[in-house]
Amino acid sequence: MKPEQAKKRAKELVAQMTLGEKMSQMLNEAPAIERLGIPAYNWWNEGLHGVGRSGLSTVFPQPIGLAASFDTELMKQVAVAFSDEARAKYNEFSSHGSRDCYQGLTYWCPNINIFRDPRWGRGHETYGEDPFLTGEMAVAFVDGMQGDQKECRKLDATLKHFVAHSGPEGCRHGFDAKVSKKDLYETYLWAFAYCIQKAKPAAVMGAYNTVNGEPCCASKHLLQDILRDELGFEGYVVSDCGAICDLHDFHHITEGKPQSSALAVNSGCELNCGDAYQGLVVAYEMGLVTEDTITKAVERLFQTRFELGMFDEKTPWDSLGYDDVATPAHKQLAREMAARSIVVLKNNGILPLSKEIKSIAVIGPNANNRDVLLGNYNGTPDQWITVLDGVQRNVGKDVRVYYTKGCDVVTKDVPKWEENTFQEALILAEKADVVLFCCGLNPRLEGEEGDAFNSDAGGDKTTLDLPDSQKKLFQALVKVGTPIITINISGSALAFHEIAEQSAAIVQAWYPGEQGGDAIFDVLSGAVNPSGRLPVTFYRSDDDLPAFDDYHMKGRTYRYFQGDPLYPFGYGLSYSRFCYQNLSIENQGDSLLFHIQVENVSDRDGSEVIQIYAKCMGDADEVPNAKLVGFRRVDIQAGQVWHGDITVEKKILYVTDQEGKSHIPQGRIHFYVGGHQPDAVSCRLSDTMCVEAEISL
């Protein structure tokens, strides 16, 4: 239903409700109002990388991997496939009268918080550390989710968590993020503003924490002055689960549920995940909230239900059913996206694997681990392809594949009577032509508070080091002498400079989704030319980072870090080599048009991620390092030249002053265009340079 008509219908329907009925509809578990023909509805649904927690679905790579693709077109295809499955499951569930949690159309994704510190456990739910990349990937995802049907919205997308939320997990319910105005607008708010303008998401979720003492789910300044008035958001706001009770239980801003619920509703939070809004009855009786405020909130909630076609209208997606869930086409898309997300960090020439190899030893705790395929907030696939599976399925009948775990993900005291395969790993490495060392983390070590139950920090990491058990195994394997290809499977950056020095190749695979094993072998074998790029900085040591609970951006992420990283943001190797030339920039009013030629000077077809970075040389408010302002993925055949244009909006170039105000950069802007950042480490690792040009706005 069109917004104008939906708004009218919502107003008419809500006018027939009693005050108690209205209040009941502001809880995520909204009960039926049978006399008005309103069915029960649970607003809570998850879909970070496919339909989550709702049984069968296609599981795509974890969002950090989606971001590593730098591919907005494929990202949108993933979101369309996910939304098809979401609509299909909703149709099937609702046809049976089932309207429970994870069976609806209002999805609490994507997570567009900035991954400011690699120790944050939930960082793999995000699109990385850069606001522009995050904004671009979020727009593609939201567009694919919500659909382009003007008559009816396909799903509701919910941007989360508003705002300045990225750990610590262990104290998130009472944490106060101290954020300067410059950092707030330059980093933490940027992707929210960009996505709201470009994609018009239906909803925003407030965070657990406070920002400079203001509760994210109950601040008029944050939810009205900034979110609605400044950013132009027109949808509804939902609290994170239990966040309203945090106001009195942990932040100690209010006395109890009546006061907390009144503060949140009056500030602009229409929907409560949790039970705090049960206190609205008492809040009303105390004169803390008016019926008019309640009415407006409920009208906004029912407007979105009408826009989604939940009542008496037919929608373009009514025919979708279980035949459209976990389809071969969706599995192929998951495999393609996983392959594009994989980042080759080092290659001494061993990749792609030689056809002469006759034996491969697949060793490590993540080699045959299904958990690491799925990440978190995931669905349940009907097919799971681990790294071991991918090798065995694709390597060919003449190649012997050995496998053993070798060690656990983390050090454990193993009783003498339990299996210990450490020595076996060394024996198999001796027998093989090459070792695939499958190391890293898993979602039980890094994740959300309560989910990552093996974490020592409530879901966060206390160190960037690879766990000792895996380092010990790797060093023993090195002594065997067989070439080692390290496949790191994790949702975040690790500091493994010793492994980097001693591996013949390093592949960063993230949490790659249900088809991950096939995708990884596609890259190892050369069936797919690697093209993923890092959406986060890989640091050399924990010592490179400021205190975890310090929300100042100084010293964090590639834009502000002053040291030499192990592997920089935007970096990734290919089996092809690309040459950039003939850069020119055309001023076109509100945008700049970059003309560039990129030649594939190798004998192998490949995909290149063209990246544009900008640095204003004369503005004191500019970030310390060059920042990403544009990118495009292009396919270029061997020996061919890509001639193309990339548009960069001028407002992306604006800088932010200490008061959080944006302005046109003062002085000339220096642009760098290439397959990576213009920093010295990227140029050295890639053995290529960026082309450069200057212009004044």
Side-chain angles (χ1 to χ4, degrees):
M1 185 179 295
K2 291 182 178 180
E4 301 81 10
Q5 185 182 4
K7 186 174 183 178
K8 180 175 180 293
R9 290 281 301 276
K11 192 176 185 66
E12 292 171 348
L13 182 60
V14 174
Q16 301 176 59
M17 297 180 189
T18 66
L19 178 58
E21 288 171 336
K22 293 175 190 176
M23 291 177 176
S24 73
Q25 298 301 301
M26 298 174 70
L27 298 166
N28 70 283
E29 291 188 71
I33 305 177
E34 295 182 3
R35 68 181 187 85
L36 296 178
I38 299 173
Y41 183 68
N42 195 312
W43 292 77
W44 189 349
N45 302 277
E46 301 290 354
L48 274 181
H49 52 125
V51 180
R53 300 178 174 178
S54 187
L56 177 66
S57 70
T58 305
V59 180
F60 296 94
Q62 188 75 352
I64 194 68
L66 298 175
S69 75
F70 277 67
D71 192 333
T72 55
E73 292 183 7
L74 202 63
M75 179 70 144
K76 185 172 181 178
Q77 291 180 38
V78 166
V80 169
F82 145 54
S83 62
D84 280 349
E85 296 193 6
R87 268 283 175 174
K89 295 180 80 75
Y90 170 79
N91 292 342
E92 297 280 10
F93 285 128
S94 58
S95 71
H96 289 79
S98 185
R99 302 180 185 277
D100 292 333
C101 192
Y102 313 132
Q103 296 177 0
L105 297 176
T106 48
Y107 275 79
W108 293 351
C109 59
N111 182 342
I112 64 169
N113 292 133
I114 296 301
F115 199 177
R116 67 179 177 92
D117 190 303
R119 291 168 292 195
W120 183 34
R122 296 187 73 179
H124 52 85
E125 298 178 24
T126 77
Y127 301 135
E129 69 182 39
D130 181 68
F132 178 70
L133 175 63
T134 297
E136 284 283 276
M137 300 306 284
V139 167
F141 194 75
V142 171
D143 280 345
M145 278 184 67
Q146 296 194 157
D148 55 7
Q149 294 284 340
K150 296 181 180 180
E151 297 296 324
C152 181
R153 192 163 55 247
K154 194 175 185 183
L155 298 179
D156 274 7
T158 305
L159 304 185
K160 64 183 189 183
H161 309 83
F162 191 83
V163 61
H165 175 70
S166 54
E169 282 294 300
C171 59
R172 62 181 181 170
H173 295 281
F175 184 73
D176 183 26
K178 300 294 187 182
V179 182
S180 70
K181 290 182 179 180
K182 180 176 174 63
D183 285 342
L184 181 65
Y185 283 88
E186 189 170 69
T187 297
Y188 296 112
L189 280 171
W190 202 97
F192 284 94
Y194 190 79
C195 191
I196 286 168
Q197 179 195 11
K198 298 283 187 179
K200 299 190 181 305
V204 164
M205 175 180 282
Y208 286 116
N209 54 282
T210 61
V211 175
N212 300 325
E214 302 236 23
C216 291
C217 290
S219 164
K220 181 179 180 296
H221 174 62
L222 293 174
L223 298 183
Q224 184 63 50
D225 299 343
I226 294 180
L227 180 61
R228 295 196 183 279
D229 296 344
E230 292 184 27
L231 306 190
F233 177 66
E234 297 178 348
Y236 58 96
V237 174
V238 56
S239 75
D240 208 338
C241 296
I244 306 302
C245 286
D246 287 351
L247 300 181
H248 52 270
D249 286 337
F250 297 101
H251 296 300
H252 306 298
I253 292 171
T254 57
E255 297 176 9
K257 285 184 181 179
Q259 294 83 2
S260 295
S261 59
L263 180 61
V265 173
N266 288 331
S267 298
C269 182
E270 288 87 5
L271 184 65
N272 171 216
C273 179
D275 60 6
Y277 280 9
Q278 291 175 355
L280 282 173
V281 175
V282 176
Y284 174 76
E285 293 172 349
M286 295 174 65
L288 301 177
V289 65
T290 66
E291 182 170 2
D292 183 59
T293 300
I294 297 294
T295 299
K296 289 179 179 177
V298 179
E299 286 176 351
R300 185 167 269 152
L301 296 176
F302 272 88
Q303 179 179 339
T304 203
R305 291 181 67 174
F306 277 113
E307 288 179 14
L308 288 165
M310 286 188 179
F311 292 95
D312 53 356
E313 285 198 339
K314 292 186 179 298
T315 78
W317 306 286
D318 289 345
S319 63
L320 293 173
Y322 265 91
D323 287 344
D324 303 289
V325 176
T327 66
H330 290 179
K331 294 178 189 298
Q332 180 57 38
L333 180 60
R335 180 172 180 170
E336 182 180 358
M337 179 51 103
R340 292 202 173 195
S341 76
I342 291 168
V343 185
V344 174
L345 300 175
K346 179 182 179 181
N347 182 17
N348 70 357
I350 197 171
L351 295 178
L353 292 171
S354 168
K355 303 295 184 184
E356 303 303 314
I357 288 177
K358 297 302 180 185
S359 57
I360 299 174
V362 184
I363 296 171
N366 282 343
N368 198 32
N369 185 342
R370 288 183 170 186
D371 256 4
V372 299
L373 299 177
L374 304 184
N376 70 349
Y377 285 104
N378 55 280
T380 303
D382 59 8
Q383 184 179 42
W384 316 60
I385 303 174
T386 65
V387 178
L388 177 62
D389 294 333
V391 175
Q392 292 174 330
R393 284 158 52 97
N394 297 289
V395 76
K397 57 183 176 57
D398 296 329
V399 178
R400 175 67 190 270
V401 178
Y402 300 105
Y403 163 70
T404 193
K405 187 168 71 169
C407 70
D408 292 311
V409 176
V410 293
T411 301
K412 295 196 304 185
D413 292 328
V414 181
K416 293 181 179 180
W417 58 84
E418 286 193 10
E419 180 184 59
N420 186 333
T421 57
F422 188 95
Q423 185 61 50
E424 182 178 52
L426 307 185
I427 294 171
L428 296 183
E430 289 178 350
K431 296 182 175 296
D433 294 330
V434 65
V435 171
L436 302 184
F437 178 57
C438 302
C439 63
L441 304 176
N442 64 42
R444 308 297 162 252
L445 289 170
E446 55 176 351
E448 188 170 4
E449 176 201 36
D451 289 343
F453 47 79
N454 285 331
S455 167
D456 292 327
D460 299 321
K461 298 187 292 296
T462 58
T463 177
L464 301 184
D465 289 342
L466 193 68
D468 288 342
S469 58
Q470 299 180 58
K471 288 194 290 186
K472 180 181 177 182
L473 176 59
F474 178 82
Q475 292 302 332
L477 290 170
V478 169
K479 293 178 181 178
V480 172
T482 304
I484 300 174
I485 298 170
T486 296
I487 302 172
N488 187 61
I489 303 177
S490 66
S492 57
L494 294 177
F496 44 60
H497 59 279
E498 292 181 2
I499 288 178
E501 292 173 357
Q502 296 172 302
S503 297
I506 300 177
V507 174
Q508 177 65 33
W510 316 107
Y511 297 135
E514 64 172 67
Q515 303 293 313
D518 277 347
I520 290 169
F521 193 80
D522 285 342
V523 169
L524 297 178
S525 67
V528 170
N529 195 338
S531 56
R533 299 291 187 268
L534 290 181
V536 291
T537 301
F538 276 51
Y539 301 92
R540 289 184 171 275
S541 167
D542 300 334
D543 296 335
D544 289 338
L545 295 169
F548 181 40
D549 58 359
D550 181 354
Y551 265 65
H552 290 92
M553 289 306 298
K554 182 179 179 180
R556 298 187 183 282
T557 76
Y558 81 96
R559 293 184 301 154
Y560 307 93
F561 182 57
Q562 296 298 292
D564 287 336
L566 180 62
Y567 295 113
F569 171 92
Y571 165 75
L573 297 176
S574 170
Y575 300 151
S576 300
R577 187 173 179 84
F578 301 94
C579 178
Y580 287 72
Q581 53 195 353
N582 298 331
L583 171 64
S584 63
I585 306 173
E586 183 180 340
N587 197 326
Q588 293 193 324
D590 292 335
S591 63
L592 299 176
L593 191 63
F594 288 73
H595 307 284
I596 186 69
Q597 294 180 11
V598 185
E599 182 179 4
N600 184 340
V601 294
S602 70
D603 59 0
R604 183 184 290 269
D605 297 348
S607 292
E608 173 72 333
V609 177
I610 302 170
Q611 301 170 49
I612 303 175
Y613 292 85
K615 181 75 179 87
C616 181
M617 312 308 289
D619 197 312
D621 291 317
E622 178 65 296
V623 298
N625 302 321
K627 63 182 180 182
L628 183 71
V629 296
F631 64 89
R632 178 183 294 181
R633 172 185 282 272
V634 296
D635 296 326
I636 310 175
Q637 294 180 342
Q640 298 298 305
V641 179
W642 179 85
H643 303 263
D645 302 326
I646 300 176
T647 299
V648 174
E649 295 180 79
K650 287 183 179 178
K651 63 183 178 182
I652 295 170
L653 305 172
Y654 285 13
V655 297
T656 306
D657 66 20
Q658 299 303 318
E659 294 302 313
K661 304 297 183 184
S662 295
H663 62 265
I664 297 172
Q666 304 299 308
R668 293 184 67 79
I669 302 175
H670 203 89
F671 291 98
Y672 310 83
V673 182
H676 49 75
Q677 280 189 69
D679 67 297
V681 176
S682 296
C683 294
R684 173 175 56 81
L685 292 172
S686 303
D687 193 25
T688 58
M689 302 293 290
C690 298
V691 293
E692 304 177 26
E694 277 193 359
I695 192 173
S696 292
L697 299 184

